[in-house]
């Protein structure tokens, strides 16, 4: 029952049985008792996940597997049991999908390493991680940590449940579907061996799920780190993406979790990446399209959660100028929406000043920005090549 409440809170679409959360809840007691009975009798069999695709920024598509609601409930109950056990084995370098950890903490840790002089970066990307994760390797890791064979066998069933795509069932020989409740924790378990290996080598790593960077003191150490990562992933039956993996440094800039890290004039800057800004604009364009039966107040009510969510994610850093430009661009979209709706050809900014949109409750990104505190001031390079903070 607790697992169902979490599934309901996370919402989500129906799986292959076309049963929604609402219809499942209509007969909740019956469903929970039936699932409990099947699990006790070891007769529970998950349904194949429904395969859908979402577009990626590079024009490709990301496959998602949507489990049935009944299977999401069982996965959530399973996760609640195994998470405390697996958490004890995870590395401090791992931040993705862990309680008490966040993307902002990962960004802050990268800043700390950069300030400490780890300015050369292996910007790594694993080729199709969730699609190529080896089941046998994963199960061997699970068996070493979780002695209960019934629990590990249940995880095995989820891995082998397959997917339903274009009306046909497809067997899954590797990988864990993105969209499954337990997929993130299995990903963390799988890559913990990589985390530990780099820690033993004295390298600084920050990982969020399958995205990670290794920070080094010089280019030779970065080359060594690249070889270490490639060799360890090879043992895990994974490979680096030749297209996306590179060795760089903070002076040329690199992007992680949507943030760009760049050093110029002796100062470290972090701000939303061009890709993140493009994704934000795409969402605003959809929300402000002129061919919709809404008035401007309704459009603003739809925009505000989007603006607030994006702004809160990037509010720490040096994105104030970008925030202001995006605010101007968003108001321009609203003015265009109003002109089209009302067929007004007057000058836009005189007809609808900024105060007009504020009065309607429009959230501004610039208002969400957090000014850096004294302890968060960017570092500056000293003449000797060491890092030093500005003295005030």
């Amino acid at each position: 029952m607790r697992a169902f409440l979490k599934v309901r809170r996370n919402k989500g679409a129906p799986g292959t049985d076309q049963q929604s959360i609402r219809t499942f809840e209509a007969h909740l007691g019956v469903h929970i008792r039936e699932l409990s009975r099947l699990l006790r009798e070891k007769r529970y069999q998950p349904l194949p996940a429904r395969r859908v695709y979402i577009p990626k920024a590079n024009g490709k598509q990301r496959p998602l597997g949507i489990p049935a609601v009944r299977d999401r409930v069982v996965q959530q109950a399973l996760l609640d049991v195994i998470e405390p056990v697996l958490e004890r084995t995870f590395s401090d370098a791992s931040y993705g999908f862990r309680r008490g950890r966040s993307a902002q903490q990962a960004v802050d840790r990268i800043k700390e390493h950069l300030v400490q002089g780890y300015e050369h970066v292996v910007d790594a990307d694993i080729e199709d991680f969730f699609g190529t994760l080896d089941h046998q390797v994963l199960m061997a890791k699970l068996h070493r940590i979780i002695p209960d064979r019934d629990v590990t066998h249940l995880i095995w069933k989820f891995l082998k449940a397959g997917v339903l795509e274009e009306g046909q069932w497809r067997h899954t020989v590797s990988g864990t579907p993105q969209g499954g409740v337990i997929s993130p924790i299995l990903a963390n378990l799988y890559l913990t061996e990589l985390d530990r290996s780099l820690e033993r080598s004295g390298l600084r790593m920050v990982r969020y799920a399958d995205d990670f960077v290794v920070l080094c003191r010089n280019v030779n150490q970065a080359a060594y780190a690249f070889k270490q990562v490639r060799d360890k992933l090879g043992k895990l039956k994974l490979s680096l993406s030749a297209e996306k993996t590179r060795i760089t440094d903070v002076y040329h800039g690199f992007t992680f979790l949507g943030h760009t890290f760049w050093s110029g004039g002796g100062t470290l800057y972090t701000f939303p990446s061009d890709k993140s800004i493009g994704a934000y604009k795409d969402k605003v364009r959809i929300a402000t399209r002129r061919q919709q039966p809404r008035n401007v107040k309704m459009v603003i009510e739809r925009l505000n959660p989007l603006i607030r969510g994006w702004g809160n994610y990037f509010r720490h850093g040096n994105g104030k100028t970008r925030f202001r430009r995006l605010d101007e661009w968003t108001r321009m979209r609203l003015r265009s929406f109003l002109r089209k709706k009302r067929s007004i050809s007057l000058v836009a900014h005189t007809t609808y000043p900024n105060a007009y949109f504020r009065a309607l409750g429009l959230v501004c990104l610039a208002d969400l920005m957090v000014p850096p505190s004294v302890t968060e001031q960017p570092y500056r390079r000293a003449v000797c090549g060491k890092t030093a903070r500005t003295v005030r």
Side-chain angles (χ1 to χ4, degrees):
M1 289 294 290
R2 287 195 299 270
F4 169 75
L5 295 177
K6 292 180 181 179
V7 169
R8 185 178 65 180
R9 190 163 57 245
N10 293 332
K11 301 180 181 179
T16 53
D17 61 355
Q18 296 301 311
Q19 187 175 49
S20 67
I21 293 176
R22 179 177 294 181
T23 56
F24 186 92
E25 188 176 15
H27 304 282
L28 182 59
V30 174
H31 289 309
I32 294 297
R33 286 193 295 272
E34 178 66 9
L35 287 176
S36 299
R37 182 182 66 81
L38 291 173
L39 286 164
R40 282 197 305 271
E41 296 174 359
K42 303 177 184 179
R43 294 174 51 216
Y44 171 79
Q45 182 60 48
L47 297 172
R50 181 165 64 90
R51 173 61 55 83
V52 297
Y53 292 89
I54 58 174
K56 298 170 67 174
N58 59 7
K60 297 181 180 179
Q61 291 187 315
R62 183 190 306 279
L64 293 182
I66 303 177
V69 175
R70 66 190 287 273
D71 296 332
R72 298 210 291 272
V73 171
V74 175
Q75 283 193 29
Q76 183 63 59
L78 179 62
L79 176 64
D80 290 344
V81 172
I82 67 174
E83 186 177 38
V85 179
L86 297 183
E87 267 288 333
R88 294 195 292 267
T89 70
F90 292 162
S91 164
D92 285 340
S94 170
Y95 289 86
F97 306 103
R98 296 180 62 186
R99 291 185 184 181
R101 291 183 165 238
S102 65
Q104 184 58 49
Q105 289 175 331
V107 170
D108 290 342
R109 178 58 62 89
I110 290 176
K111 290 180 183 178
E112 289 177 15
H113 292 326
L114 291 171
V115 166
Q116 292 166 1
Y118 294 87
E119 298 173 334
H120 294 264
V121 180
V122 179
D123 188 2
D125 185 271
I126 301 175
E127 186 74 41
D128 189 20
F129 170 72
F130 284 95
T132 58
L133 177 151
D134 187 271
H135 290 169
Q136 299 294 339
V137 173
L138 175 61
M139 294 308 299
K141 295 178 182 298
L142 278 169
H143 286 310
R144 286 196 293 269
I145 302 170
I146 300 175
D148 192 319
R149 295 287 170 168
D150 292 336
V151 173
T152 54
H153 185 61
L154 185 57
I155 295 174
W156 177 258
K157 283 185 176 182
F158 280 117
L159 292 174
K160 294 299 183 182
V163 296
L164 192 67
E165 185 174 7
E166 297 178 349
Q168 292 190 347
W169 178 79
R170 302 183 189 278
H171 181 56
T172 46
V173 296
S174 63
T176 177
Q178 293 188 69
V181 178
I182 60 172
S183 292
I185 198 167
L186 295 181
N188 278 333
L189 172 64
Y190 201 92
L191 292 175
T192 295
E193 187 176 337
L194 173 66
D195 302 342
R196 299 297 186 194
S197 173
L198 294 178
E199 286 173 356
R200 288 192 297 269
S201 299
L203 298 167
R204 301 293 188 272
M205 176 191 190
V206 176
R207 181 172 64 80
Y208 195 94
D210 61 323
D211 294 328
F212 65 94
V213 290
V214 186
L215 297 104
C216 309
R217 287 197 177 277
N218 53 59
V219 68
N220 291 332
Q221 190 180 48
Y224 169 75
F226 176 84
K227 183 179 183 303
Q228 286 283 97
V229 169
R230 184 187 59 197
D231 293 347
K232 178 53 67 176
L233 289 179
K235 293 178 181 177
L236 294 172
K237 300 185 179 181
L238 299 170
S239 60
L240 288 169
S241 169
E243 178 185 346
K244 298 180 181 178
T245 301
R246 61 181 183 139
I247 294 176
T248 185
D249 58 55
V250 70
Y251 304 106
H252 290 88
F254 65 96
T255 298
F256 186 67
L257 297 178
H259 294 75
T260 293
F261 300 81
W262 177 74
S263 180
T267 303
L268 175 65
Y269 299 95
T270 60
F271 45 83
S273 68
D274 292 342
K275 182 178 175 181
S276 298
I277 291 173
Y280 171 83
K281 286 186 173 182
D282 287 342
K283 292 178 180 178
V284 172
R285 286 189 185 99
I286 293 172
T288 57
R289 67 187 189 279
R290 290 169 289 187
Q291 300 81 14
Q292 58 177 314
R294 290 184 174 90
N295 59 40
V296 68
K297 187 170 179 60
M298 295 168 67
V299 171
I300 288 174
E301 288 174 354
R302 188 181 180 190
L303 270 178
N304 279 344
L306 188 161
I307 296 170
R308 197 175 284 111
W310 195 89
N312 285 335
Y313 184 76
F314 291 106
R315 65 200 298 236
H316 300 274
N318 310 96
K320 191 170 185 178
T321 300
R322 289 167 177 80
F323 272 30
R324 285 176 174 169
R325 288 173 181 169
L326 285 174
D327 283 335
E328 293 170 3
W329 182 85
T330 301
R331 288 190 292 266
M332 178 273 294
R333 290 286 306 179
L334 288 170
R335 289 181 181 116
S336 179
F337 173 85
L338 283 165
R339 287 202 308 274
K340 180 69 174 181
K341 285 287 184 181
R342 301 182 181 180
S343 301
I344 293 175
S345 58
L346 299 177
V347 179
H349 70 271
T350 57
T351 310
Y352 302 109
N354 295 353
Y356 172 81
F357 297 110
R358 280 194 177 273
L360 290 176
L362 179 67
V363 174
C364 292
L365 288 170
D367 294 340
L368 301 174
M369 198 77 198
V370 174
S373 66
V374 174
T375 58
E376 293 174 336
Q377 291 299 317
Y379 78 96
R380 296 188 179 276
R381 296 294 293 181
V383 176
C384 60
K386 307 263 181 162
T387 57
R389 290 194 180 275
T390 304
V391 178
R392 295 199 170 199

